[in-house]
Each structure stands twice: as structure tokens, then as C-alpha cells.
Amino acid sequence: MPPSAAQDDYDSPWKEAVEHAFPEFMEFYFPEASRQIDWASGHRFLDKELQQIVRDAALGRRHVDKLVSVTTHSGEEDWLCVHIEVQGSMDPGFARRMFVYNYRIFDTYDRPVASLAVLADADPAWRPDRFGYERLGCRHSLQFPVVKLVDHAADETALLRNPNPFALVSAAHLYARRTRRSPAARFDAKRRLVRLLYERNWTRQRILNFFSVLDWMMRLPRELEQGLWQDIESIEGERKVKYVTSVERLAIERGLRKGMEQGLEIGIEKGIEQGRAQGTASVLLRLLNRRFGPLSPDITRRLSQSTPEQLEIWAERVLDARAIDEVFAETAEFSTLRAPLQRIVASLFEPID
């Protein structure tokens, strides 16, 4: 079955990529603005400030929005509002939303802000870059820089040769859209990008970070995913490195973290214990499905009816189980395991050498 549009959840990997390497993001998509920034002075993501804006304004559906504080070479602190529109068709309200973000930040914090937009849709003609109005001689408008990912499709070779990590991210996004109905073509494209990732000679952590982004953008059916892991093992054998175990743990870490967040949200309304159990069960369901394929109704029901302690035991076993029966096995060894979920997550967050 071809990967569906619903499977291609681009927002989260884009957010992760921007947070991993914001200077490279600016250099690749907005080079003129990047040259005005003193990157040696550092930068700060202003998540709380942006959350305040979102709460106070009716902005519609959230996309990948980041508010970042940077210092220019003139010594001034500037705020950048980076908005990534990840969708497959034109949004008539996009330019207005950019306008609202900009004036709400200025109104709330009395700070000028530069608004930037990356459009990841497939329509080369749609390029909204301004919004404004005029009434009785009064003019109010915003014009903002816009880049289109589809523009890079014309020179794929240059995109793949570019050492900037966002060249690979852009390629992954374009390939994901192009191969939406062809799992085999997506497998070939993903394998090519993963090999390029290993050839970049980046640090281990950067390779893991951007592997996570590529993996999330270009999801594959289980049988092809298994083939990809075999290829990765071959690549690592050639290069005499060992990242696969770390990459698998990264995926589990991401899932467990998301499950805990969901559990806490549910816990606010229904009780922390119940929320923790539901969040853990939800992420275990996804991890088991990812590692072992479609699950039986009996296993799904078992997860939904289990206690937090049982779920914690099974969560620990997922790390090393070779078959799904090992996760649920009732052995003397496993029956004594009652480690809290915090210990599992702590082990996943240990620094990678």
C-alpha cells in the first residue's frame, strides 16, 4: 500500500531540523539575512513569547513557527519570526496570518520583528509575500521574504552536493512528495539520502539528528523499512562506524517522550496515573507496530487494559526484544522488573560518545 498523505507528517521533522541547526537553516534559505547576523553571539528560541502570541490571537491552525532572538553585526538584538508553511495546496489566509504574527509580536513586546516564510507546497506559482490594507488615506502593510522548496527541484544534483544539512532536508521533502504513491521509489530515494548523510563526515550526534528528520519525512512500509536497515548496516560496515543501535534508540526516545507528553495532557483532566498509562500504551502501540508489524486485536486490547506497572515492564523490553513474544513473555526474570518509566527514559537520554 502506498504511503498515504496522512502518514507524511512533515511539521514535526521540520521543527526538529530548525532547532538542530538554525544558523544553517538561515544560511541555506535566507543567505542575505544570515550574513547580517553575528552567529558567534549565539541565538535563543523564544518559545514562551510565541506561545503568548498564539494564545492571544486567533491565528488558525499552527504550522512550524519559531520565534528566535539573534544579534546583528551592528550589535542590535533582532527577533526573527520564522514561519514554515507545510501543506499541499494554496492557503488563502497565509499572508494575513504572517501579518497578524508580525503586528501581534510588535504590539505585545514592543519589538520590531522580521518575518520569514518557507513554502513547502507543490504549486510553483503560489508565492504570497505581502498583506495590507488602505482606508481613507491610511496604509498598513507587511512585505516579507519567501522561499519555495519546489524551486530546488530543478537542480537536484546541486541540492545533493550541497554540504548544508538543509539541502538534504529539502531533498527529503521533495522526494517524499514525489514518491507518495510509489513505495519502491521512496525506498531508493531514502537509501540514497541516508548514504549521503553518512558521507558528510559530520559528528555522530548531527548524523543521528538528521537521520531522525529524514526517517520521519520518508516513512516506508515495514518490509521496505527492514531492507533499509540492512543497507544501513552495510554502510556502517564500510565506514567502520556503529550508529544503528543509537538510531533505533533515538526513535524509541522520540516515541516515549511524545507518549509522556500525551499522558500528562490527559492527566490534567482525568488524573495523572490514568493519563500516564494511556500515554504509555499509545506510544507502545506505535513502537510495537513499527518493530513487529500490524498487531493483533488481542495485543491492542491488552495494552489498553494494562496497569502502568505492566506497561513500564513492556516498554523496557522493547529496547532488546527480537520478537513480539519476548515483550509479553511471563518469565521469572521479567516478572521481577518494576523499573519506573523515568529510568527507561533516562537511559535513552544518556550522552552519545
Side-chain angles (χ1 to χ4, degrees):
M1 178 182 295
S4 68
Q7 288 177 311
D8 294 320
D9 177 13
Y10 296 119
D11 286 8
S12 293
W14 271 103
K15 180 180 179 180
E16 287 194 10
V18 172
E19 292 177 349
H20 288 329
F22 185 65
E24 288 90 343
F25 169 87
M26 290 294 297
E27 179 186 0
F28 187 75
Y29 295 118
F30 304 99
E32 291 186 12
S34 179
R35 284 191 288 270
Q36 299 178 50
I37 297 172
D38 180 10
W39 293 109
S41 297
H43 61 278
R44 294 183 299 117
F45 288 103
L46 305 171
D47 294 338
K48 292 183 178 179
E49 287 80 356
L50 188 58
Q51 288 171 8
Q52 180 67 38
I53 296 300
V54 173
R55 278 198 303 267
D56 292 349
L59 299 174
R61 177 184 177 271
R62 288 292 309 280
H63 297 271
V64 184
D65 308 313
K66 303 300 294 183
L67 186 60
V68 191
S69 171
V70 298
T71 302
T72 64
H73 287 294
S74 64
E76 295 178 337
E77 182 186 25
D78 281 347
W79 284 15
L80 300 179
C81 185
V82 178
H83 185 105
I84 304 176
E85 187 83 352
V86 186
Q87 61 176 37
S89 60
M90 181 182 68
D91 177 4
F94 171 74
R96 179 184 180 277
R97 188 162 60 251
M98 291 290 289
F99 178 84
V100 172
Y101 266 75
N102 191 281
Y103 83 68
R104 285 293 296 140
I105 294 172
F106 179 83
D107 180 54
T108 304
Y109 297 102
D110 193 23
R111 297 297 305 255
V113 58
S115 296
L116 312 173
V118 176
L119 301 179
D121 66 287
D123 185 354
W126 184 58
R127 298 174 184 268
D129 64 354
R130 66 194 66 197
F131 182 87
Y133 58 87
E134 179 179 357
R135 290 294 183 274
L136 303 176
C138 177
R139 297 180 181 178
H140 190 44
S141 64
L142 172 70
Q143 185 172 350
F144 48 90
V146 169
V147 296
K148 296 276 292 191
L149 296 188
V150 71
D151 291 344
H152 292 283
D155 195 351
E156 181 180 297
T157 301
L159 198 63
L160 297 180
R161 288 178 178 174
N162 193 314
N164 191 301
F166 282 92
L168 284 185
V169 173
S170 298
H173 183 90
L174 294 171
Y175 283 148
R177 288 193 176 278
R178 187 188 308 168
T179 61
R180 183 167 290 182
R181 292 178 175 82
S182 176
R186 176 170 291 192
F187 171 81
D188 291 338
K190 187 172 182 178
R191 179 172 55 182
R192 182 181 186 186
L193 291 180
V194 169
R195 181 170 287 276
L196 286 174
L197 183 67
Y198 276 85
E199 293 174 355
R200 288 293 189 259
N201 292 320
W202 291 336
T203 65
R204 184 180 189 183
Q205 189 60 56
R206 170 157 285 201
I207 288 177
L208 293 178
N209 288 343
F210 280 95
F211 179 93
S212 174
V213 173
L214 299 185
D215 187 45
W216 204 332
M217 282 185 169
M218 304 182 72
R219 298 178 183 178
L220 292 169
R222 175 169 171 73
E223 62 275 10
L224 293 180
E225 194 72 33
Q226 292 296 331
L228 180 67
W229 282 114
Q230 294 175 4
D231 286 347
I232 292 175
E233 290 179 349
S234 298
I235 294 172
E236 294 187 343
E238 296 170 6
R239 302 185 67 82
K240 295 182 174 57
V241 296
K242 187 65 176 176
Y243 295 163
V244 169
T245 300
S246 298
V247 170
E248 289 178 329
R249 284 178 175 268
L250 188 68
I252 295 173
E253 167 194 319
R254 182 178 63 210
L256 285 176
R257 184 192 303 143
K258 189 171 183 179
M260 290 181 69
E261 291 172 354
Q262 291 176 345
L264 289 175
E265 291 175 0
I266 297 171
I268 292 174
E269 298 179 356
K270 299 183 179 180
I272 296 299
E273 194 69 14
Q274 179 185 0
R276 183 164 67 98
Q278 292 185 15
T280 307
S282 176
V283 71
L284 268 177
L285 189 67
R286 291 196 299 272
L287 292 174
L288 289 168
N289 187 72
R290 179 185 178 90
R291 293 206 63 190
F292 305 112
L295 305 179
S296 68
D298 179 65
I299 290 179
T300 302
R301 182 172 57 255
R302 190 174 181 182
L303 289 173
S304 66
Q305 297 174 354
S306 297
T307 65
E309 290 75 18
Q310 289 175 316
L311 292 170
E312 289 166 5
I313 294 171
W314 296 335
E316 184 167 281
R317 296 178 191 175
V318 170
L319 297 174
D320 302 307
R322 292 165 295 180
I324 195 167
D325 290 343
E326 295 183 11
V327 177
F328 298 97
E330 293 297 335
T331 65
E333 175 186 1
F334 281 141
S335 65
T336 61
L337 291 174
R338 290 295 185 271
L341 187 58
Q342 286 84 352
R343 181 162 68 83
I344 301 171
V345 177
S347 69
L348 295 174
F349 289 159
E350 291 177 353
I352 300 174
D353 297 332

